Amino acid sequence: MGTFQELTSIEAVKELYLTELASVLYISSPGCAVCASLFPQIEPIFVAHPEFRAGRVDLTDVPQIAGEFSVFTAPVVLLFVKGKEVHREARIVPIEPLKRKVEQIGQFVRTMG
């Protein structure tokens, strides 16, 4: 866990967040400069937090994702605990607050065992 798995279907996306205790979904689109520059900044955060299962999905590969999660822009970072969305960041993602939120959720998840 911790490294991002490429997801290419809505079923794979649902399997990620519905079956794991904690998960993160990174939604991007091709040709998105913000998406390309943000991913290398957030990937190490989740490598350091293996309690999160991490998935990455492209809006053009899985267009249903937009309707499933009310995504209107990219990139989007979604955090889930027990299948429920607990945090969302979109477009411009401040890294330090995201790190703090991941640490906070990670601590909570670790206490759940």
Side-chain angles (χ1 to χ4, degrees):
M1 292 198 228
T3 58
F4 282 75
Q5 172 188 0
E6 291 293 330
L7 305 172
T8 56
S9 70
I10 194 70
E11 293 78 20
V13 170
K14 287 181 179 180
E15 189 272 332
L16 171 83
Y17 79 92
L18 291 175
T19 62
E20 295 295 324
L21 183 57
S23 58
V24 56
L25 184 61
Y26 183 77
I27 303 170
S28 63
S29 64
C32 168
V34 175
C35 300
S37 66
L38 179 63
F39 186 73
Q41 295 177 63
I42 68 161
E43 188 174 30
I45 296 170
F46 293 98
V47 168
H49 288 278
E51 61 270 24
F52 286 87
R53 181 159 167 226
R56 183 177 182 175
V57 65
D58 190 307
L59 278 168
T60 57
D61 291 341
V62 187
Q64 307 95 316
I65 205 83
E68 182 78 18
F69 296 108
S70 299
V71 171
F72 304 107
T73 188
V76 177
V77 179
L78 300 174
L79 303 178
F80 298 91
V81 175
K82 288 188 166 184
K84 302 290 183 201
E85 183 181 324
V86 294
H87 187 74
R88 173 184 294 235
E89 294 283 346
R91 194 69 181 147
I92 305 301
V93 178
I95 298 302
E96 288 306 314
L98 178 63
K99 281 182 185 177
R100 287 191 296 273
K101 182 57 78 172
V102 169
E103 180 58 38
Q104 181 183 40
I105 294 170
Q107 273 185 323
F108 173 73
V109 167
R110 287 188 298 274
T111 63
M112 295 173 70

